[in-house]
Amino acid sequence: MNRVTATTLMFGISMIAAPVLSLAAEKIDIGKREYNANCAVCHGATGKGDGSYGELLKTKMPDLTLLSRNNNGVFPVARVYDVIDGRTTVKAHGPREMPVWGTDYSIKAADYYRDVDYDPDAFVRARILALIDYLNRLQAK
């Protein structure tokens, strides 16, 4: 195959594949999926603290769309990570009603990767960081 034909072929493939890959990227939002599966029931679908389980808890659900605003306009990535992970006790956060997602994700990783070697911490970090990315996108402007 000559260079012109190969270039034309690659261009044609990219023109076909780009919309498909773009569509796939739009549909797969791991952070949103994690939020809807694990957080929305307490924090609400929009993150405003109005989930159906919120009223059953002792602690009022925070409005997750105001995390940046309540932190001088900066999204508090490290603090949010620690709260979601939950494996390290953070005294300032008070009693822990929220599930310890770091442990939960670690257990899910063991089940998911039972037949292959894996890094459980990488699995946990990826899930939490995807969730943090989604929470960052929920922030009020």
Side-chain angles (χ1 to χ4, degrees), residues 18-118:
V20 172
L21 293 174
S22 176
L23 181 61
E26 288 176 26
K27 288 190 175 196
I28 300 172
D29 186 338
I30 296 169
K32 184 176 183 178
R33 186 179 67 194
E34 288 297 325
Y35 182 85
N36 288 334
N38 299 317
C39 311
V41 70
C42 292
H43 292 283
T46 61
K48 294 194 176 283
D50 57 354
S52 59
Y53 281 18
E55 63 189 38
L56 302 173
L57 301 172
K58 296 174 191 169
T59 307
K60 184 180 181 306
M61 287 291 99
D63 184 338
L64 299 177
T65 67
L66 300 176
L67 295 173
S68 291
R69 185 176 292 167
N70 294 337
N71 193 48
N72 298 318
V74 177
F75 187 77
V77 174
R79 187 171 70 219
V80 172
Y81 188 99
D82 288 342
V83 170
I84 294 169
D85 183 88
R87 292 180 286 183
T88 302
T89 304
V90 181
K91 245 180 157 179
H93 296 149
R96 181 92 185 163
E97 284 191 279
M98 187 170 141
V100 178
W101 292 110
T103 300
D104 185 69
Y105 289 147
S106 188
I107 291 167
K108 286 179 182 174
D111 186 46
Y112 185 78
Y113 291 110
R114 76 180 89 177
D115 296 331
V116 296
D117 288 335
Y118 70 99

